């Protein structure tokens, strides 16, 4: 599984997930830092952008021996990493077995996304569990003045 982080993030954003995937399923995991992010180098004569990141991803996969199609790749990308995972897949479709896309950049949607709707519903549910103000006990609760 190759984990691709979002813009202005680094490999730490996927580290815990990668550790769980490795421990739970035994999959080899690769955490990549895009150029100019995390532990990667800043290119001297290159313009930071999708082409540079795609080339960095390809070079890394070649370096570890995962770019020849012999290893079915799962690309997991968040935000910008999801967009790069889709781009990589469009360039080398025979190498990618699965895509996991989380909040992927590059989708133009007129209506709220499923994630946004889920977040709104979760917020409403959490707000419903907030206890009432302290000046009055909740309905059905025993007030200290009710005690003998």
């Amino acid at each position: 599984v190759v984990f691709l982080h979002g813009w202005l993030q680094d490999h730490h954003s996927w580290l815990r997930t990668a550790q769980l995937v490795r421990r739970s399923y035994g999959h080899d995991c690769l955490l990549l830092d895009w150029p100019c992010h995390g532990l990667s180098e800043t290119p001297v004569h290159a313009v930071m952008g999708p082409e540079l990141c795609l080339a960095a991803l390809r070079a890394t996969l070649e370096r570890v021996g995962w770019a020849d199609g012999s290893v079915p790749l799962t690309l997991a990308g968040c935000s910008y990493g999801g967009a790069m995972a889709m781009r990589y897949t469009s360039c080398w479709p025979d190498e990618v077995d699965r895509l996991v896309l989380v909040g992927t950049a590059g989708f133009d949607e007129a209506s709220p996304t499923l994630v946004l709707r889920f977040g709104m519903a979760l917020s409403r549910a959490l707000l419903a569990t907030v206890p009432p103000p302290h000046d009055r006990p909740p309905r059905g609760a025993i007030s200290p003045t009710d005690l003998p």
Side-chain angles (χ1 to χ4, degrees), residues 45-57:
H45 298 291
V47 176
M48 181 58 194
E51 295 306 321
L52 179 64
C53 291
L54 186 64
L57 175 56

Side-chain angles (χ1 to χ4, degrees), residues 96-113:
V96 180
D97 186 46
R98 292 182 182 97
L99 281 175
V100 179
L101 305 174
V102 180
T104 300
F107 287 115
D108 184 21
E109 297 184 20
S111 61
T113 63

Side-chain angles (χ1 to χ4, degrees), residues 9-22:
Q9 298 176 354
D10 66 14
H11 69 278
H12 288 99
S13 60
W14 280 111
L15 183 59
R16 191 168 164 162
T17 303
Q19 290 169 333
L20 288 170
V21 166
R22 175 76 175 162

Side-chain angles (χ1 to χ4, degrees), residues 68-106:
D68 59 5
S70 64
V71 176
L73 286 179
T74 297
L75 300 179
C78 175
S79 185
Y80 181 78
M84 294 309 302
M86 290 188 301
R87 192 158 187 181
Y88 187 92
T89 303
S90 69
C91 293
W92 294 279
D94 294 337
E95 294 178 11
V96 180
D97 186 46
R98 292 182 182 97
L99 281 175
V100 179
L101 305 174
V102 180
T104 300

